[in-house]
Amino acid sequence: MAAELFEGQYVWHPAADDRVLARVCVDVRAGRYRSAGEALAETRSDFALRAHRSLVLASEAAGTDLVERWLAEEPTPEAALLWARVAVQRAMRAADARDERAEALERIALTACDRAAALAPGDPTPWVAKLTMARLHRLRDPAPQGLLTAPSGPWRLFAHVLSLDPWHREGHHRFLSCFFTRYGGSVNAAWDVAAFLSQRAPSASALRLLPLVALVESYNPTQLLADRVWEQPQWRSTALAVYHSWLPSVADYRFTPVLDLAYLAHALVMAQCGFEARAVFTAMGPYASRMPWSAFGEPAEQLSRARRGCGLPVPGPA
C-alpha cells in the first residue's frame, strides 16, 4: 500500500493508511464493537496485520468496558484477543505507574492471554501480548549459543512465538525490549540480541532494522560525539543495507509501516545519507510516529528538522 503524498500536515494516528482500521477506531470510541470483530476476523491468516490492528484497537478500548461487553455477548476469538490486548495494556500501565492494582491486573492479563491462545491455537498474537509482560519479572532462561554476552531472558516464550510465526515483527521488538537498560538490561546485551535476531532474518525483512532500534535506545546525549555514532561504518552500512533490501517491498504492505520507516529514515539522516533518507520519507507520506524522534527532542520538531535537511516540505505555523 503506497502512502499518500505529504500535503502539509503530519498524520500521527497509529492506524496510518489502514482505512478500515481508522473507521473501526471511530466505532470503538463510540462503544461499538461489531466492526472491530469484522476487521480482526479478516486478519486470521495475516499475523502482521492482526498484530497491528489489535494493538491499535486496544489502545482505543483500554479506558472503556467495550471488550468486557463484547466478550460477554459474543465470545469469539477476536473478542478474546482484544480483551487480552487491553488487559495487557492496563497491566503494563499499572506496573509502570507502581499502582497497587498492578499484580491483580497482571493476573487478569495472563488469564486473558491464555483464553485468547486457547481459542486460536495457531495465532501468535496472544503469546506476543504475554511477551509484553515478560520484562516485569526478568525471566532468566539461558540464551542460545551464538551470543557474545549470553544474556538470559524470556527465550522459551519467545521460541514459542517463533514456532507460530518465525518472523513476527512485534514479537521480535517485544523480546528485544526486555534487554533495554531501562528494563534492567544492558547496552551490550541489547546490541548483542538485536544483531543475533537481525542476522537470522531474511535480507528483505524489516527485522534487519533491530540493531538501529537498539542504537536509538542506547543514545546518550551527554557522551562525546553522540550524534556522530550513526556515521560509523557498521551503522551506516546497516542502514544502507536495509534501504536497498527492504524498502522496495514496502509498496506491497497492506498498511504503511510508519515506525519501521521512521527508524530507517532517522538512521540515514544521522549517517549523512540524505538522498536515501529522502526516498524513505517519501514512502512514509504524511504519516508520523513519535519514535525514534522523541528520543532526541520534541518529535514534530525533530521530524521536521530531518525532512528539511533532505529538502522536503514540513508543516507551516499552526
Side-chain angles (χ1 to χ4, degrees), residues 224-258:
L224 184 65
L225 302 177
D227 290 344
R228 304 294 296 273
V229 172
W230 283 261
E231 297 178 37
Q232 295 177 5
Q234 69 181 100
W235 302 116
R236 181 186 174 97
S237 62
T238 296
L240 288 173
V242 175
Y243 169 81
H244 289 293
S245 299
W246 172 68
L247 185 63
S249 70
V250 169
D252 297 327
Y253 276 50
R254 292 185 64 180
F255 62 93
T256 298
V258 179

Side-chain angles (χ1 to χ4, degrees), residues 41 46 179 257:
D46 186 337
F179 301 92

